[in-house]
Amino acid sequence: MATVVPLVDELASLLRERIYARRYPPGTWLRQEQLAAELGVSRTPLREALRALEQDGLVRLIPGQGARVVTGDLPTLLAAYELRAVVDGLAARLAAERPAPASRVRELYAVVARQRAALDPWEPQTYTALDVAFHEDVVHLSGNEFVVAQTPVLRMTAQVFAPVALVERDSAVRAVAEHTAIVGAIEAGDGPAAERLARAHIEATIAELRARPRE
């Protein structure tokens, strides 16, 4: 019995990374029988791992049907970004008020510089990966375990729902400038400014999503 919890954690981590890598795209049904056979595990820890992913918001468990990777429709995406506006803002404020070590601030600037380099020539996949890295770094710099626990929402919006929120170069140019300002506020130890800038950064994305034509 002592091995059950570690196995559940390992399975959840494996399935989570496969979802992030789009091996299981949005809307994919995760059949327990098939997964159990593929991974060489029993259905009990697999079932618990899927419940953990449901708590992350990555899958939905539908009674009588099984588990399905969430779909990135616009209302779902907007709801996730509305949460991110709060989380990212709080993370930036806490990072500024700790304050963040100078070495970590330099790392943030380095990530932003690499994002800027991905603008010309435009490399959306590279940019998106660096965008995730930037926001994850800020979240971890908050030093607040409950803020860090919201990381799956960040990766969900940027990776799982990427085709829905397809990044355009003009938006990326704006975002790089906003990232630079956020790091500047963190470096200055200005918590209120860092929070305001980080929230406005996500709210700008929300506004862009709402303005897009409905299919």
Side-chain angles (χ1 to χ4, degrees):
M1 294 296 292
T3 62
V4 173
V5 172
L7 179 57
V8 169
D9 291 342
E10 290 172 10
L11 286 171
S13 179
L14 174 63
L15 295 174
R16 188 179 294 114
E17 289 305 317
R18 287 185 175 187
I19 292 172
Y20 290 147
R22 299 189 60 76
R23 181 167 174 178
Y24 304 141
T28 301
W29 285 99
L30 302 179
R31 306 296 182 186
Q32 291 188 31
E33 299 86 349
Q34 179 180 345
L35 285 174
E38 176 188 346
L39 301 174
V41 298
S42 69
R43 293 177 61 181
T44 298
L46 180 59
R47 189 179 304 113
E48 292 303 316
L50 290 171
R51 286 175 180 163
L53 295 185
E54 184 180 40
Q55 291 179 347
D56 286 349
L58 291 175
V59 305
R60 290 200 175 97
L61 299 180
I62 304 173
Q65 297 184 56
R68 190 181 190 189
V69 179
V70 292
T71 55
D73 55 41
L74 184 59
T76 300
L77 189 58
L78 288 173
Y81 268 109
E82 285 166 355
L83 175 59
R84 276 201 58 188
V86 177
V87 172
D88 284 39
L90 176 59
R93 176 170 66 80
L94 293 175
E97 292 176 349
R98 292 187 65 186
S103 61
R104 298 296 298 279
V105 172
R106 287 195 296 270
E107 290 173 4
L108 284 176
Y109 276 125
V111 173
V112 176
R114 291 167 63 196
Q115 282 189 294
R116 189 175 292 108
L119 296 175
D120 190 13
W122 176 223
E123 300 175 1
Q125 290 186 333
T126 299
Y127 172 85
T128 298
L130 291 168
D131 185 62
V132 173
F134 175 84
H135 287 285
E136 281 192 338
D137 286 348
V138 173
V139 165
H140 283 281
L141 280 175
S142 73
N144 185 305
E145 63 179 305
F146 296 100
V147 173
V148 173
Q150 302 306 313
T151 301
V153 176
L154 188 164
R155 298 189 70 183
M156 183 194 308
T157 54
Q159 291 178 286
V160 179
F161 296 158
V164 179
L166 187 61
V167 178
E168 298 176 352
R169 186 182 180 281
D170 288 347
S171 297
V173 171
R174 169 187 58 76
V176 168
E178 292 169 354
H179 286 176
T180 303
I182 291 167
V183 181
I186 291 174
E187 182 179 31
D190 190 339
E195 181 171 22
R196 174 176 52 79
L197 290 166
R199 286 196 64 149
H201 172 59
I202 300 299
E203 288 167 353
T205 299
I206 292 173
E208 287 183 348
L209 290 170
R210 286 177 172 156
R212 287 183 180 177
R214 302 292 182 92
E215 294 183 356

